[in-house]
């Protein structure tokens, strides 16, 4: 049996080649890989020797030869193919081990030039992979070091790879080629006339990997599956590890993402409770337990059957408090052994462990160019993520009355929460907790009234609260509603043609008004 090895990433390849040699396989190789194997004392035949044609054009041409592709593509079950091989002196290649030039890693580097990118487009590697993958019934093709152990174990056990394994490897190979070509297309179609690169390429090639099929979609008559980005950012929901509970549903995942994105934006211990994609309770405190207790007070009714997220490990005290309510999904960076033991009594509760982003709350995508994508008919809307973080030195006080340090703190907290509430959003807050949330209404006035009604039902007073509006007040009536409810300070983006009218109303009512200069629509 012949094995052709030509890898850019040489992780684990020497040990794998040694094992193949021990099984009696003849090793064929190219360039740097052949040198690595030869220096380790392995007998290796260079492809140039096999083809009788030297590598040329700085290595651009080395495996594009009939003696390589004939050996990969020939069907052993067809007499005409076998005769052609014998006539032209072509040996079959039974195992191909190839990984490609590091195009994705190259273009991800700051300062990558078009020339750098072009030189890292692999030609011979993908061609060989396609040939081997097409002929999967006779050739095994490995495109990643993670495949070596299982393939080797099967070779050692049975002397060959099963049809099932070869087909699975073929599918993985074509997937890899698709991913590779998609990355090249994305990069090159983003190059503009002035040589700069647009973040929105002329063609966008989605590259996602299925994590699981779901029982159904948003409703039982819909089918669904859960996918992740090919290269997911650390600290995102797709990295979650489910520790217990029923299978996640479509709606569980959508709501869990909303809760996790919100809670990980805080740098102090926080708890977020989400129901139907909207935060119904958010709070920060000294401990996870205290944060939960405050968040739950906002809207105990909506919290029933909700999604709860913490940005700190859940200890026994927090677990005892949470276990008193019906919760669909509970997620945190960690759980104490005692907390997990307690939740064993509630076996249906889905418990997810997710690591926080390594760079903290401001590390939204770990340096990646994260995009939000929404399907519309037969098209896509793409935008950069709404990851703006507002600080105290960025707000503009426009009222005559100046905010106190506590009011600034409450306003910034309310603003952060409003970022994750569906528009139109009105959020009342005080002392690091939400006091009333109005979400998703066609009228900002209705959102304000709903937030006030919810606070009343929860037995919470809105006197002296801070209010955040995700977009500007088009008229003073919205401001009057929140002030009538008890607000003492308001944060809004500004930018309306009637800003001065609204500012004058704030002065008339004796409340603080600050402008963020940023809008947070969330549809």
């Amino acid at each position: 049996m012949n094995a052709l090895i030509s890898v850019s990433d040489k992780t684990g390849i020497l040990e794998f080649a040694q094992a193949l040699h021990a099984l009696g396989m003849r090793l064929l190789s190219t360039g740097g890989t052949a040198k690595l194997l030869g220096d380790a004392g392995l007998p290796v035949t260079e492809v140039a020797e096999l083809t009788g044609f030297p590598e040329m054009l700085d290595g651009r041409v080395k495996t594009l030869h009939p003696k390589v592709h004939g050996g990969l593509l020939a069907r052993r079950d067809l007499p005409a193919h076998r005769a052609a091989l014998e006539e032209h002196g072509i040996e079959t290649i039974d195992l191909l081990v190839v990984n490609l030039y590091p195009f994705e890693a190259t273009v991800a580097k700051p300062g990558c030039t078009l020339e750098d990118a072009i030189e890292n487009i692999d030609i011979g590697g993908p061609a060989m992979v396609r040939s081997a993958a097409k002929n999967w019934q006779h050739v095994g093709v490995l495109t990643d070091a993670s495949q070596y152990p299982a393939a080797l174990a099967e070779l050692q056990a049975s002397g060959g790879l099963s049809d099932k394994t070869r087909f699975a490897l073929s599918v993985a190979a074509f997937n890899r080629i698709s991913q590779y070509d998609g990355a090249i297309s994305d990069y090159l179609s983003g190059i503009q006339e002035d040589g700069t690169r647009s973040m929105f390429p002329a063609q966008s090639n989605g590259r996602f990997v299925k994590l699981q099929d779901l029982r159904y979609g948003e409703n039982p008559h819909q089918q669904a599956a859960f996918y992740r980005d090919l290269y997911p950012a650390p600290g995102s929901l797709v990295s979650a590890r489910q520790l217990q509970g029923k299978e996640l549903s479509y709606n569980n995942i959508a709501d869990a993402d909303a809760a996790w994105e919100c809670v990980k934006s805080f740098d102090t211990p926080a708890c977020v409770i989400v129901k139907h994609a909207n935060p119904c309770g958010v709070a920060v405190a000294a401990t996870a337990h205290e944060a939960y207790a405050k968040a739950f007070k906002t809207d105990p009714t909506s919290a029933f059957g909700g999604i709860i997220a913490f940005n700190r490990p859940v200890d026994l005290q927090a677990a005892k408090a949470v276990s008193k309510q019906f919760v669909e999904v509970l997620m945190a960076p960690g759980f104490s052994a005692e907390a997990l033991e307690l939740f064993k009594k509630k076996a249906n509760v889905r418990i997810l462990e997710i690591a926080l982003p390594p760079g903290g709350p401001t590390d939204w995508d770990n340096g990646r160019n994260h995009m939000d994508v929404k399907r519309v008919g037969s098209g896509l809307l793409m935008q950069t993520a709404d990851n703006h973080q507002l600080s105290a030195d960025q707000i503009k006080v426009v009222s005559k009355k100046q905010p106190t340090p506590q009011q600034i703190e409450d306003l910034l907290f309310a603003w952060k929460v409003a970022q994750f509430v569906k528009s139109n959003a009105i959020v009342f807050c005080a002392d690091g907790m939400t006091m009333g949330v109005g979400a998703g209404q066609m009228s900002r006035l209705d959102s304000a009234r709903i937030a006030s009604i919810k606070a009343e039902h929860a037995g919470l007073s809105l006197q002296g609260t801070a209010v955040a509006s995700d977009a500007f007040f088009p008229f003073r009536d919205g401001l009057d509603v929140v002030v009538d409810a008890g607000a003492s300070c308001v944060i809004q983006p500004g930018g309306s043609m009637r800003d001065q009218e609204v500012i004058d109303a704030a002065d008339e009512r004796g409340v603080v008004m600050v402008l963020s200069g940023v809008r947070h629509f969330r549809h």
Side-chain angles (χ1 to χ4, degrees):
M1 293 178 69
N2 292 318
L4 173 53
I5 304 174
S6 180
V7 294
S8 178
D9 177 4
K10 296 176 173 54
T11 301
I13 195 61
L14 179 57
E15 295 78 8
F16 186 57
Q18 289 170 332
L20 295 180
H21 173 64
L23 290 171
M25 283 196 181
R26 179 189 178 201
L27 303 180
L28 311 172
S29 193
T30 61
T33 306
K35 184 177 187 308
L36 174 69
L37 304 184
D39 289 347
L42 287 171
V44 57
T45 301
E46 291 209 38
V47 165
E49 181 181 343
L50 176 74
T51 63
F53 203 90
E55 290 187 16
M56 62 183 298
L57 305 180
D58 298 320
R60 285 189 172 199
V61 177
K62 50 191 172 187
T63 59
L64 298 171
H65 193 282
K67 286 201 172 182
V68 173
H69 288 273
L72 291 170
L73 283 166
R75 287 180 53 176
R76 282 62 158 171
D77 59 331
L78 295 181
H81 282 207
R82 294 201 305 271
L85 293 181
E86 183 175 352
E87 178 185 353
H88 297 286
I90 298 174
E91 299 181 57
T92 58
I93 298 171
D94 308 286
L95 184 69
L96 177 70
V97 185
V98 168
N99 56 58
L100 310 177
Y101 291 175
F103 180 85
E104 296 100 326
T106 297
V107 298
K109 295 176 183 176
C112 173
T113 65
L114 179 58
E115 183 180 0
D116 293 335
I118 294 295
E119 286 307 310
N120 277 277
I121 295 176
D122 203 332
I123 303 300
M128 288 191 292
V129 168
R130 290 176 67 88
S131 292
K134 176 176 179 175
N135 201 26
W136 65 269
Q137 290 175 307
H138 306 284
V139 182
V141 53
L142 306 180
T143 51
D144 191 89
S146 64
Q147 299 168 328
Y148 301 167
L152 181 59
E154 190 169 332
L155 288 167
Q156 290 172 331
S158 59
L161 299 176
S162 67
D163 287 350
K164 179 181 178 180
T165 297
R166 288 195 306 274
F167 182 74
L169 290 172
S170 170
V171 172
F174 279 120
N175 286 345
R176 176 63 188 126
I177 296 301
S178 171
Q179 295 158 4
Y180 195 74
D181 287 344
I184 295 170
S185 170
D186 280 346
Y187 179 85
L188 294 180
S189 62
I191 301 297
Q192 302 179 103
E193 289 186 6
D194 62 0
T196 60
R197 186 181 173 194
S198 169
M199 65 178 64
F200 299 104
Q203 176 169 310
S204 178
N205 300 275
R207 298 186 295 282
F208 301 94
V209 178
K210 187 165 75 173
L211 292 178
Q212 65 186 97
D213 289 307
L214 303 174
R215 286 178 297 159
Y216 53 82
E218 208 160 9
N219 299 290
H221 63 275
Q222 295 172 269
Q223 296 178 317
F226 183 28
Y227 289 78
R228 67 162 173 80
D229 279 312
L230 180 61
Y231 301 111
S236 54
L237 181 68
V238 296
S239 65
R241 187 165 66 100
Q242 186 166 353
L243 304 182
Q244 76 159 52
K246 297 188 295 184
E247 180 182 329
L248 288 163
S249 71
Y250 180 99
N251 292 329
N252 288 156
I253 294 168
D255 287 348
D257 184 61
W260 184 247
E261 290 300 308
C262 183
V263 82
K264 75 181 186 182
S265 70
F266 292 95
D267 54 11
T268 54
C271 175
V272 174
I273 306 174
V274 161
K275 192 69 172 289
H276 294 296
N278 276 300
C280 60
V282 181
V284 292
T287 67
H289 171 252
E290 293 172 14
Y292 167 74
K294 291 168 69 175
F296 183 75
K297 286 179 183 178
T298 303
D299 190 352
T301 301
S302 297
F304 180 84
I307 310 292
I308 302 177
F310 292 91
N311 66 352
R312 294 292 188 275
V314 172
D315 58 14
L316 182 59
Q317 188 180 23
K320 284 181 177 179
V322 171
S323 67
K324 293 177 183 178
Q325 76 160 100
F326 170 46
V327 55
E328 287 276 4
V329 180
L330 174 62
M331 64 189 85
F335 297 84
S336 71
E338 295 82 4
L340 290 176
E341 187 64 30
L342 177 67
F343 277 109
K344 284 182 180 179
K345 300 173 184 176
K346 291 180 173 281
N348 287 336
V349 176
R350 302 162 178 90
I351 295 182
L352 306 181
E353 186 177 72
I354 316 177
L356 290 166
T362 58
D363 187 13
W364 286 74
D365 59 8
N366 198 38
R368 303 182 198 282
N369 184 22
H370 179 59
M371 291 285 179
D372 283 338
V373 178
K374 182 181 294 186
R375 286 286 288 180
V376 286
S378 295
L380 288 177
L381 285 172
M382 298 181 66
Q383 63 177 353
T384 57
D386 181 10
N387 56 13
H388 184 273
Q389 299 232 351
L390 189 68
S391 59
D393 61 349
Q394 294 173 318
I395 62 175
K396 180 182 180 182
V397 181
V398 292
S399 59
K400 293 178 181 176
K401 193 169 185 178
Q402 297 296 300
T404 66
Q406 181 61 53
Q407 285 178 322
I408 290 176
E409 187 175 325
D410 286 340
L411 287 168
L412 290 175
F413 176 82
W415 183 249
K416 187 183 291 286
V417 175
Q419 182 175 349
F420 297 95
V421 178
K422 298 288 187 181
S423 299
N424 287 312
I426 293 290
V427 181
F428 289 81
C429 296
D431 299 322
M433 68 174 280
T434 47
M435 305 293 283
V437 179
Q441 298 305 302
M442 291 72 78
S443 163
R444 194 163 300 279
L445 287 171
D446 288 339
S447 290
R449 293 183 183 115
I450 288 171
S452 182
I453 292 169
K454 283 183 168 291
E456 183 180 354
H457 285 175
L460 298 174
S461 171
L462 297 182
Q463 291 303 311
T465 52
V467 169
S469 173
D470 64 340
F472 61 64
F473 290 103
F475 303 95
R476 68 165 290 167
D477 53 2
L479 176 71
D480 285 328
V481 171
V482 300
V483 175
D484 287 344
S488 66
C489 52
V490 177
I491 183 170
Q492 57 127 332
S496 167
M497 62 183 296
R498 292 186 175 86
D499 270 354
Q500 193 56 54
E501 175 186 322
V502 178
I503 294 168
D504 290 342
D507 289 336
E508 177 188 320
R509 301 298 301 269
V511 298
V512 171
M513 176 169 285
V514 304
L515 302 184
S516 65
V518 177
R519 189 181 73 186
H520 278 312
F521 270 165
R522 189 176 183 87
H523 290 104

